[in-house]
Amino acid sequence: SFYALQRIGWFWSIMQEGFRVQGAAHDIAMLAGAANPPRAERNWNALFCLYRYLVLSFFFAYQSFTPRLQRIKFADLVTCGLLVKDEVELLNGSHRFPLSVLESWLGCWVHQHLQGETRQQCFQALRVYRGALASVSDWVDQRAPVSFETLLYVVVYALCFVMPFGPSHIEYLDRQAVMSAAHVMPVISVSLLTCLYLSLLHLLRHLQAPFDHRSLPCDALNPVKILNSTERKLRDYLTAARPEALN
């Protein structure tokens, strides 16, 4: 039961990491949007470039874990306007992962388009963003040793098998007591306890893939939903109109 609680805490940590990624992306967009008012055409192009890189970095952080995102290829990203063709070639040439290249591009954007204290604050937010993106895969890759999980499964199944033959409160030498004792409730209690242990094993097995809707149809995490929520707020930070008092 302690291990099951730990794995549920691990599941919540992955969920919270998504909120950290979202918050860091919003911090970067808020600072960049304040320093680059979307009035000039040059600012529009720069802000759209930042928008694309933030959305793409979020996408690539979750793509390898989410079956729904794994079907999306570079050509699809070019079609929807998040990538241009020359960027595809650069991402394909990454040594490890396209995400690391995008993080480098974000750093270059901050260095080129921001100045002074705003640049320093944005670099701090970018460091938090990069750390949160990396933590997503770190949390997902955390696994107990295979030998421990094998031992856990063997012990639980053995316990469920021998539980009906456990010590009883009935004195079997007293035939009258055996005949008059209630048999239904002990059977129900053993059945419920066995179902609890087997359900926990079933839960632990399916928690190994927290983003797979086929394994966890009701509980699977949905990074697409938080990505869409993040994208809408990014547009507000980068393109929102300003009142006359701020112009």
Side-chain angles (χ1 to χ4, degrees), residues 50-65:
L50 176 64
Y51 161 83
R52 291 192 300 109
Y53 292 163
L54 288 173
V55 174
L56 285 170
S57 57
F58 201 122
F59 169 82
F60 282 116
Y62 285 93
Q63 184 188 26
S64 58
F65 314 116

Side-chain angles (χ1 to χ4, degrees), residues 48-49 51-53 55-56 59 76-84 87 91 102 227 231:
F48 180 64
C49 182
Y51 161 83
R52 291 192 300 109
Y53 292 163
V55 174
L56 285 170
F59 169 82
D76 301 317
L77 297 175
V78 173
T79 302
C80 69
L82 289 176
L83 275 178
V84 295
E87 293 173 343
L91 292 178
L102 283 164
L227 174 59
E231 187 269 342

Side-chain angles (χ1 to χ4, degrees), residues 3 145-159 201:
Y3 179 66
V146 177
S147 56
F148 173 79
E149 291 197 348
T150 303
L151 178 62
L152 179 66
Y153 275 69
V154 171
V155 170
V156 171
Y157 277 113
L159 178 63
L201 286 184

